[in-house]
Amino acid sequence: MSDTTGEPTLTHDGSTPYEDYVRAEVLTHLQRPLSEDPGEMAFLVTTQVMELWFTVIVHEWRTAADALREDDLPRALAALRRSGYQLTALNASWEPLAHLTPGEFNAYRAALGEGSGFQSAMYRRLEFLLGEKSAAMLVPHRGTPKVYDELSKALHEPSLYDEALGYLSRHGGTPLPAEVLARDVETRYEPHPAVEAAWQRVYAAGAGPLLTLGEALTEVAELVWRWRNDHLVATRRAMGGKSGTAGSAGVAWLEKRAAKHVFPELWTARSHV
């Protein structure tokens, strides 16, 4: 905003329009370090930034899922493309934490108490959209009814991949079986040979809108794998094989997560093309 001289407008009634829109005053006063260690501030801010990226990625994937359900492929692809840029930025958020020594992390680790990343409600919504459903993951949120209700709703909704498979079934020439299309969406998605065969046909064709969709989902899956792997490496570097906070298995648990493929048939189908 500027006046007729081309100079920025410096006077405003009340707060600036920028503050009214961005709420920077709120964002920059959310940090409450619990130790005297100067490194805790970077840990806290980085974690909060990750939560913001989780929020926008969930928004994009819900947009893509809704669009696929409505057979609006261009809108779905646009949302998936945006989420790819956002995932890249999310993954870069590990950089401030990626080189912590055990001593540096231990200087403020006690401040976390029983806090752990797996308790993040927004990250859980992100995982649910990927098809990683588990009713047990609602349990930590029973004490916050609004969050619990939002997660419960997400648990009962089809995932992004469920909606993608519905689109594939309607437009791929050979409908997928009922056990895929009418599966219990409250449970973790498990690979199915008919889905692998359908993606194999898409990739064998060599071109077309379904292949574009497959590649957009594959890009998302790869970036999610990179997120998980970067989390694993940063944790291993900071604390080795020790148990994580809140009773988690730490690195051992993260290793299992990093080994899992998101949208599995998109990876296995390639072996048969």
Side-chain angles (χ1 to χ4, degrees), residues 31-176:
Q31 295 72 42
R32 299 288 189 273
L34 298 178
S35 76
E36 297 299 320
D37 187 80
E40 187 190 353
M41 188 64 165
F43 182 87
L44 184 53
V45 169
T46 298
T47 303
Q48 291 174 337
V49 167
M50 288 177 176
E51 286 289 335
L52 292 173
W53 282 123
F54 296 158
T55 301
V56 72
I57 291 166
V58 165
H59 169 75
E60 300 289 15
W61 289 353
R62 290 187 65 188
T63 298
D66 291 346
L68 288 169
R69 185 167 58 253
E70 297 164 6
D71 289 329
D72 188 347
L73 185 59
R75 184 160 65 97
L77 291 174
L80 292 173
R81 182 178 64 253
R82 290 191 301 269
S83 79
Y85 304 142
Q86 294 150 11
L87 281 162
T88 298
L90 168 65
N91 293 354
S93 299
W94 281 116
E95 191 61 24
L97 308 180
H99 307 287
L100 287 174
T101 67
E104 289 168 336
F105 183 50
N106 287 339
Y108 55 80
R109 188 186 183 194
L112 277 66
E114 291 298 306
S116 175
F118 84 84
Q119 297 163 352
S120 166
M122 193 56 70
Y123 183 71
R124 192 56 48 203
R125 289 176 65 180
L126 184 150
E127 288 275 336
F128 282 2
L129 278 164
L130 293 173
E132 293 289 334
K133 299 287 189 74
S134 171
M137 288 301 177
L138 272 62
V139 174
H141 305 283
R142 284 177 173 169
T144 47
K146 182 176 184 293
V147 172
Y148 185 89
D149 290 346
E150 289 174 348
L151 275 177
S152 181
K153 181 175 183 291
L155 179 72
H156 291 81
E157 292 174 341
S159 70
L160 169 61
Y161 197 48
D162 287 322
E163 298 293 6
L165 294 183
Y167 186 91
L168 175 63
S169 182
R170 294 190 296 275
H171 299 275
T174 303
L176 294 172

Side-chain angles (χ1 to χ4, degrees), residues 10-22:
L10 300 180
T11 58
H12 306 278
D13 294 330
S15 60
T16 67
Y18 177 86
E19 172 60 33
D20 292 342
Y21 184 70
V22 177

Side-chain angles (χ1 to χ4, degrees), residues 161 165 168-169 172-174 176 189 192-208 210-215 218 263-273:
Y161 197 48
L165 294 183
L168 175 63
S169 182
T174 303
L176 294 172
Y189 179 82
H192 194 284
V195 175
E196 182 184 84
W199 284 123
Q200 179 185 345
R201 288 191 295 272
V202 168
Y203 276 84
L210 287 174
L211 189 143
T212 302
L213 173 61
E215 284 297 275
T218 301
F263 314 149
E265 297 93 345
L266 277 165
W267 299 98
T268 57
R270 297 164 192 270
S271 301
H272 309 291
V273 177

Side-chain angles (χ1 to χ4, degrees), residues 171-190:
H171 299 275
T174 303
L176 294 172
E179 61 262 30
V180 173
L181 299 178
R183 76 179 194 89
D184 181 0
V185 298
E186 298 175 38
T187 61
R188 177 179 290 108
Y189 179 82
E190 297 295 340

